[in-house]
Amino acid sequence: MKQHWYDYLWIWSILYFSLGFFNILFAWLGMLDFFLPLLFAIFGGNKFFCNHMCGRGQLYMKLGMKLKWSRNRPTPRWMYAKWFRWGFLAFFMAMFGNMVFQTYLVGAGAASLRQSVQLFWSFRLPWHWAYSAVGIPDWVAQYSFGFYSVMLTSLLIGLVLMVLFKPRSWCAFCPMGTMTQGICKARVKLKGKVSAPVEAGKTE
Amino acid sequence: MVCPREALSVVSGCYALVDSLRCIGCGKCAKVCPAGCISIFRREAAG
């Protein structure tokens, strides 16, 4: 099968978390994983990001299938049910909004910078070695810690699910996936027709 | 990535579709599908 450069984005996923361990400011790069899927969905009407470019999904496949870390049992039904997918998206966005608000408070001088990573929206891990305040506004650092917390928390949930169920069980209710699918479905409704499949070699 | 025949596509980002003319029924996709929505059915050999 033809290999593409984006088949190796699982390396990016490992690199992202490693970089953030040494310098938290690299967490900002994770915004790419946030905006690219949305841009593909909004302008392309597809899930090309999920399908081909998600480094995290690829990493779960590598660990789950190649290294056989996954039990490969069926994902529980409720995990890919509509109510759970949209409910989890709502919860995730509420937590995300809270994180942005914390950033705002730090920026406004109403709260002080907390140099820690918050796991599962509750446990604080010390992470102060990854930041030295030199000429960077506090809110930029606060957002880095916050965003890295979101990324690490979801990575860990996905890893546990990868071991317990199918390698990409996380994808069943990944907030980005729910959002992009929602956008794509809305697009189809607005345009009234489905566009040609995006897969290479499918247009004959 | 999963399908050796590239028979899988995601139609307009909404749902997955298997091109039955390309599909050889190997079941790789059913094995990894996290939403368990792929079933393998026996069929007559394609001419």
Side-chain angles (χ1 to χ4, degrees):
Chain A
M1 227 183 305
K2 198 175 166 238
Q3 290 286 305
H4 303 274
W5 64 270
Y6 47 72
D7 292 335
Y8 299 92
L9 284 171
W10 56 275
I11 299 170
W12 157 245
S13 206
I14 298 174
L15 197 67
Y16 176 79
F17 289 102
S18 317
L19 289 173
F21 186 80
F22 295 105
N23 190 331
I24 199 67
L25 295 174
F26 281 113
W28 278 86
L29 289 175
M31 295 293 281
L32 284 171
D33 293 325
F34 204 82
F35 282 115
L36 282 178
L38 292 176
L39 292 176
F40 273 113
I42 294 167
F43 297 106
N46 61 54
K47 299 222 335 171
F48 191 86
F49 188 90
C50 293
N51 303 157
H52 301 282
M53 301 185 79
C54 178
R56 176 177 300 191
Q58 290 176 12
L59 183 65
Y60 292 151
M61 283 297 273
K62 290 267 177 234
L63 300 177
M65 297 305 273
K66 266 238 160 82
L67 301 183
K68 299 193 191 310
W69 287 6
S70 175
R71 298 194 312 162
N72 211 29
R73 300 282 163 84
T75 312
R77 245 171 202 292
W78 57 266
M79 236 180 247
Y80 52 88
K82 226 173 212 176
W83 67 267
F84 183 72
R85 297 183 67 203
W86 286 94
F88 187 76
L89 173 64
F91 168 75
F92 198 87
M93 290 314 279
M95 293 297 124
F96 193 82
N98 181 47
M99 188 271 280
V100 172
F101 184 62
Q102 289 305 318
T103 306
Y104 163 75
L105 287 182
V106 169
S112 52
L113 172 65
R114 297 185 80 162
Q115 297 185 30
S116 58
V117 161
Q118 198 170 15
L119 273 192
F120 306 109
W121 304 281
S122 22
F123 312 106
R124 286 202 176 271
L125 293 182
W127 213 270
H128 50 84
W129 58 80
Y131 178 64
S132 52
V134 220
I136 293 151
D138 273 358
W139 69 269
V140 173
Q142 186 61 62
Y143 188 80
S144 305
F145 283 109
F147 200 79
Y148 194 81
S149 304
V150 170
M151 294 294 269
L152 192 59
T153 296
S154 49
L155 176 87
L156 291 177
I157 296 175
L159 278 176
V160 172
L161 296 179
M162 176 272 289
V163 172
L164 293 179
F165 307 110
K166 301 274 176 178
R168 287 188 74 153
S169 286
W170 163 257
C171 304
F173 63 94
C174 168
M176 292 315 299
T178 308
M179 262 195 280
T180 49
Q181 191 191 32
I183 293 168
C184 290
K185 280 185 170 172
R187 261 182 67 112
V188 167
K189 242 182 206 157
L190 285 172
K191 295 200 161 178
K193 61 175 169 59
V194 291
S195 54
V198 291
E199 207 84 2
K202 281 288 297 177
T203 45
E204 58 204 275
Chain B
M1 238 171 57
V2 169
C3 181
R5 297 273 295 164
E6 295 184 7
L8 283 168
S9 57
V10 178
V11 182
S12 297
C14 298
Y15 56 88
L17 185 74
V18 181
D19 180 344
S20 58
L21 291 177
R22 285 170 174 251
C23 177
I24 49 166
C26 69
K28 273 188 158 185
C29 54
K31 205 176 162 193
V32 297
C33 179
C37 57
I38 302 175
S39 319
I40 307 292
F41 293 102
R42 277 187 73 96
R43 66 170 185 197
E44 297 301 310

